[in-house]
Amino acid sequence: MQTVLILMGETGFIDSPFSLVKSYRKDERNGRPAIVPVWLGIESYYKAYRSARPAEMSSEDAAVVWDPARFQSERMRQIFDEARRFAQLNVPVLLLGERGTGKTTLAGWIRSHSPYRVEERDAHWPAVACGQYNPETMRAELFGYKRGSFTGALKDHEGLLAVAHKDTLFLDEVGDIGRDLQRLLIKAVEEKSYMRLGDDRQLTSDFRLISATNLTHDKLRERLDPDFLDRISMLTLRLPPLREIPEEIPWLWETVFSQASHRAGSGRVRLPAGAHRAIVDELSRHPLPGNLRDLFRVAYRTIAATADRHSPLSPTASSQYGLAGIGGSGAGIGTDSLPRSVARAFAESASLDALIQPGETIKTKVIERVLKRYLADEFRRIAKKRGVSPETLCDVTDRALREWSASKDWNT
């Protein structure tokens, strides 16, 4: 059994933190310590994937490792089947999904399962959160610069395109890239060539691009040049919000709670199985707008209440305190997100099982009112843009559209 545990630890199948050690009986020591560390140096794809971290990415959801072996939903299995196929191609991949759905982790999974990975860069592979930079600094970060090309350029700087040669470049929040930079990136993506700031020489980089955004496709079309969007979205994957895959929440909660305990630095915190089940039940009924980040929020609050040295709460009270961080127990699917969830399920021919919990009822008039207001606002916006009457765009009178648009009551 010791051998099995050592092999599991060395190949990455035991969650950190842990240490592999060997103990010696007193008559076996011969001057050695009673306990010595064990290290075999075994490498595996799974171990590399778990340890790989993209540069500049430090969000909580990036700490959760997607493990296809633990998936419970057919939807997630299909997404990762596609991700595995896409990983083999030097073709740009665009990852869509709400905030906190694990897009950074999926980008790392694709890289780890592809030929476009330089092992030496695993601990800090080339990635950038585009929203952190203005256009000028973003260009310098990506393309690099020559000494003296601008004030403060005291030495030559190798940009991320150079670092990503034979590897994968990850652009998070890609919708924040300016139009001028988009045009420069088109050449880099298409021809694998670029120029540093202040340089007149063409450089080359054979990189594979992965981009991610939490914007909707319509918003992305408003932000990005059509030519650029076409090139970065040749292959597209959409990660669903947790409310659409509630069957994944039990194992994700287990992973998040373990990670949060380690990160909080409060020592190992234990909750009885019943408390974990109660939390999972509530999380499965909540819209979780922050997705994995909401799970971390609940975990940190629960750990804080349990590990309080002055006045620790009971497991039940700690669970309720944790859940209060996202709206408390029994939050259910919020009326603001329900119409969108129903519309998304209709568009994807998905079931409504996850939206209708036992003992709950769906207010169809709320959904109808929200959808009507959306249609009215869109018809009126397009009509104003084109300089025509809204009535020419649909079979509803302008007066009716104004009434739909003015509807604000969400509760009846």
Side-chain angles (χ1 to χ4, degrees):
M1 190 62 193
Q2 290 177 338
T3 302
V4 172
L5 289 172
I6 288 173
L7 288 173
M8 290 180 67
E10 275 288 281
T11 51
F13 286 90
I14 298 179
D15 289 337
S16 296
F18 67 89
S19 298
L20 296 174
V21 298
K22 177 177 176 59
S23 61
Y24 290 97
R25 298 187 184 93
K26 188 174 182 179
D27 59 340
E28 296 176 332
R29 293 175 190 170
N30 296 324
R32 291 177 295 202
I35 298 176
V36 297
V38 175
W39 180 77
L40 300 181
I42 298 175
E43 291 297 330
S44 69
Y45 255 123
Y46 189 62
K47 186 176 181 180
Y49 166 50
R50 290 175 62 89
S51 62
R53 289 291 180 269
E56 299 192 17
M57 302 292 149
S58 59
S59 61
E60 297 291 0
D61 47 296
V64 176
V65 175
W66 286 120
D67 183 359
R70 303 186 73 177
F71 288 159
Q72 301 299 308
S73 63
E74 186 60 29
R75 188 169 179 184
M76 288 302 292
R77 294 190 189 100
Q78 290 175 353
I79 289 171
F80 273 73
D81 281 345
E82 282 202 295
R84 186 189 65 251
R85 298 182 189 112
F86 294 173
Q88 309 308 310
L89 307 179
N90 191 353
V91 176
V93 178
L94 176 63
L95 306 180
L96 303 175
E98 296 179 6
R99 59 188 173 91
T101 49
K103 297 183 293 296
T104 300
T105 308
L106 177 55
W109 191 94
I110 292 173
R111 175 183 178 271
S112 295
H113 290 77
S114 80
Y116 308 101
R117 167 191 168 226
V118 177
E119 293 183 28
E120 292 76 15
R121 300 187 190 127
D122 278 352
H124 202 63
W125 59 278
V128 61
C130 304
Q132 295 180 3
Y133 297 90
N134 61 40
E136 291 74 21
T137 55
M138 182 67 181
R139 180 178 176 183
E141 183 69 17
L142 285 175
F143 292 83
Y145 52 82
K146 292 281 289 181
R147 176 184 176 183
S149 58
F150 56 85
T151 302
L154 302 179
K155 60 181 181 179
D156 290 354
H157 174 71
E158 188 177 53
L160 285 178
L161 288 179
V163 177
H165 181 59
K166 299 298 183 183
D167 206 326
T168 297
L169 173 65
F170 179 47
L171 299 180
D172 196 16
E173 304 169 38
V174 69
D176 290 327
I177 295 180
R179 294 267 176 159
D180 290 341
L181 188 55
Q182 291 173 35
R183 285 188 281 272
L184 292 174
L185 279 170
I186 288 175
K187 182 179 181 66
V189 171
E190 286 286 292
E191 302 177 15
K192 306 300 182 184
S193 66
Y194 66 98
M195 284 195 297
R196 291 186 295 181
L197 280 170
D199 200 348
D200 58 2
R201 294 180 302 123
Q202 287 284 342
L203 303 176
T204 60
S205 176
D206 183 17
F207 68 97
R208 194 266 301 282
L209 179 66
I210 300 178
S211 306
T213 181
N214 58 23
L215 298 175
T216 64
H217 216 277
D218 288 341
K219 288 290 185 183
L220 204 58
R221 289 186 181 279
E222 294 175 8
R223 295 273 192 95
L224 299 183
D225 183 278
D227 287 339
F228 181 65
L229 180 56
D230 286 345
R231 283 165 172 80
I232 67 171
S233 61
M234 288 294 177
L235 301 173
T236 302
L237 291 169
R238 177 182 174 272
L239 273 170
L242 293 186
R243 62 181 172 273
E244 294 180 11
I245 47 169
E247 55 269 59
E248 305 294 350
I249 290 179
W251 77 267
L252 285 172
W253 168 252
E254 177 187 327
T255 302
V256 165
F257 192 80
S258 175
Q259 287 279 346
S261 297
H262 175 51
R263 289 185 166 207
S266 59
R268 189 166 185 178
V269 176
R270 293 182 179 274
L271 283 179
H276 283 296
R277 284 195 297 271
I279 290 174
V280 167
D281 287 345
E282 293 297 341
L283 292 174
S284 298
R285 289 195 288 267
H286 197 281
L288 299 174
N291 295 288
L292 291 170
R293 297 173 193 176
D294 282 337
L295 267 61
F296 272 100
R297 187 173 292 111
V298 172
Y300 284 135
R301 287 178 60 92
T302 302
I303 291 165
T306 304
D308 186 350
R309 296 179 180 178
H310 299 286
S311 182
L313 301 183
S314 68
T316 299
S318 295
S319 302
Q320 293 172 346
Y321 181 81
L323 288 163
I326 56 168
S329 176
I333 297 292
T335 54
D336 58 341
S337 63
L338 177 60
R340 292 177 177 83
S341 297
V342 170
R344 186 180 295 112
F346 171 76
E348 297 175 354
S349 299
S351 71
L352 296 180
D353 296 64
L355 302 182
I356 308 176
Q357 299 297 320
E360 294 183 356
T361 57
I362 293 296
K363 296 181 178 180
T364 54
K365 288 185 178 180
V366 172
I367 298 172
E368 180 183 359
R369 188 173 294 113
V370 173
L371 292 177
K372 279 185 172 181
R373 186 163 69 242
Y374 166 75
L375 287 172
D377 289 346
E378 283 297 292
F379 286 144
R380 297 177 71 197
R381 178 186 65 80
I382 295 170
K384 182 178 180 180
K385 182 179 178 181
R386 297 180 182 178
V388 299
S389 169
E391 294 178 337
T392 64
L393 304 177
C394 61
D395 57 355
V396 180
T397 65
D398 186 40
R399 178 179 178 180
L401 290 175
R402 288 198 301 271
E403 291 175 353
W404 290 4
S405 185
S407 176
K408 301 295 182 184
D409 183 7
W410 292 75
N411 299 313
T412 59

